[in-house]
Amino acid sequence: ALYFTGDFHKFVKPSGEVVNVSGVAEWFEGGPVALGQGIALPAEGRTLDYSSRKAGLYIGGSFNQANGESVSRLTLVREEQMEEVDKGVSHTVYAAKVHEASGSVYV
């Protein structure tokens, strides 16, 4: 799967169909699929990295809500749920990288 994040709220397929997504989506079988309720705009996702150990996707950015829940600029998406990562961080996350051996995420 291909995941993408940024400052957007919809995607128009070549067929003209509009898909509502909020800041983060998965490209699946020729089109975008929303990941839950996404992140609260006008904030944006800026970085993401997949963790096979946690079976989830870390998303960082300038948001304070993900999937309708309060989070502080860092969330873990797995099984269509977005979870807070510890207590998050105090400022915008510009880069995030998972260290697979330890399961840690570095921002």
Side-chain angles (χ1 to χ4, degrees), residues 10-19 32:
K10 66 180 177 180
F11 187 90
V12 181
K13 291 183 175 183
S15 67
E17 177 189 356
V18 176
V19 179

Side-chain angles (χ1 to χ4, degrees), residues 77-98:
V77 179
R78 58 180 161 185
E79 298 179 11
E80 299 181 20
Q81 299 296 317
M82 293 184 174
E83 306 168 10
E84 183 176 36
V85 178
D86 292 326
K87 295 297 176 191
V89 296
S90 59
H91 296 288
T92 299
V93 175
Y94 293 98
K97 185 66 180 164
V98 174

